[in-house]
Amino acid sequence: MVKKARSAIKKLYGMNVPLRHRIALFFSVSFVTLLAGVMTVLTLTGVFSFGARELSRTLRSEHARYSENAGKTLGQIAFHAVQLSLNLSGGIEDFLRSKDLRFSDLSGQMELLQALEEQLAPVLIGELNATVAGGALFALEATVNPILPRARFSRAGMFIRNSENGMTGFDVNKYYIRGFPDIASKKKIQLRYNWTLEFDILQKSWYNKIFEVLGNGNVASLSRHYLWSRNNAAGEEDASGLLCSIPILDANRKIIGVCGLEFRGLQFGEVFSPENESIPGTVHILSLRQRPTVSLDRAVIAGKLDLKDARLEDRQLRRGKNMEDLETFVDNSGNPVLIGISDEIQLYPKDSPFDEERFTLITAIPWNYFVETGANRRNILLTVFALFLTVGIVLSVWISNRILHPLKRQMVLAGNGKEPGEFKTNIPEIDLLVSLLVKAHQTGEELEGESELFQKIFSDFIAAVRTLTPTEMILFQYYADGKTTPEIKDLMCVSEATIRTHSSHIYQKLHVSSRNELALYTDLLKKAGKYAEIFP
């Protein structure tokens, strides 16, 4: 390939290319080389990276905002969960003291449990109103009817959730999901469609894990014993969000129940809705850390996550290859689904017994949007490159014509025997040629022998004429005789289009650009006595 290129360049140097073509080619090559160099530097420095680095900077800014807000919001919910536990513990102790009872006396006593829950309802509602949480609950280690078959999974308690809609005459901002219905009626809170009297704690990690990890021992500090888990306190199959649960302690620091505050999926979507509208499809995901996968069933999502074309039978996103400093997340078939940034968020104190559970924050966009954006940027870059290239070539041709037009005009004047004036090109060879033409006209002498330059010009031109075809030679002779195009058309019995085609071939072979330039050569040949070498 290199040898062929060198051969082509040598061949080009050996051709009799008109000066204006050489100048235009020089400017064009210079401009393209400069443009290519600038583009290369900009690409290597990351200015042109088809959107990857710019996207990374934008996503990182959005991710930093999201991470900071998530830490503050979830930290506030955990703080209020601790306050809720303390207030409930105090309320339970006050109730038991007033009745001269022990906590173990409550199980199976419906009236006592109802009275206790009614006394604790203002505590639950007050804490719910004081925080951004979407719901508040407590479940006690007691049940209304301990002889029922599933009594060991039933826990008395109360669950109230914020809502936007309600019935006339009721608190339009609350739903009553667990607890005695008489309390809901007195508080004017409407019952939700999935209301039941007690909690079913079977396979409910928010409740059972508290007892599994902490057991029946003394709990010294509540501030490090809260648990974050997926929100399924109401037993809803489509539940989304997080639940911060924490033990309720008696006077001896023994666990007598669990309370908590929920941060619902809808709230997560509203609070952490992506703010940067310049990147459509941005999503924020908070998921329990599972490397190398991200479980969507154990995650809450802000933004619209379109997974209709992804193959996620197990609802697991897998981590793919990194691009720049962006991570990709792929489906079961290895096809990219998302691209973005992930970070670990610390939701527990370092000395928490639940500290082994880590959560991951993800800020990402759909892979399809990333590909489309890159393609659009490439198209824009190529369009700009083509535009600059076109402008450069047009300018090169214009500049070459601008430079050579006066020179060509003076040479034509000199060749036709007219005074060229005091025009100087400051190009020694050209000025010499013009002066020789003027001298030949003024003295009437033939040009032969005056200059080796003319001898070479004429010999090269005559050699080029001999490469013409018979038809082209006839047309060339008509041109030399001063025939017009209509006259030539009648003489050769051809169309003007055919004449133009043959003319372009003649110009190309003789290295001239127009009929006027061709006439200049024939006139010079006649003056030099060389015309007979072409047409004896």
Side-chain angles (χ1 to χ4, degrees), residues 49-57 59-60 320-330 336 338-341 367 370-371 374 378:
S49 56
F50 305 131
R53 294 191 181 181
E54 180 182 347
L55 174 65
S56 175
R57 287 193 296 269
L59 282 181
R60 198 160 289 282
K321 296 180 180 179
N322 290 356
M323 294 186 61
E324 297 287 341
D325 56 348
L326 298 176
E327 296 182 64
T328 60
F329 300 88
V330 302
L338 298 173
I339 181 169
I341 299 168
W367 174 260
F370 173 73
V371 173
R378 281 191 291 271

Side-chain angles (χ1 to χ4, degrees), residues 39-60:
M39 290 292 186
T40 301
V41 171
L42 293 178
T43 301
L44 292 176
T45 55
V47 176
F48 294 133
S49 56
F50 305 131
R53 294 191 181 181
E54 180 182 347
L55 174 65
S56 175
R57 287 193 296 269
T58 306
L59 282 181
R60 198 160 289 282

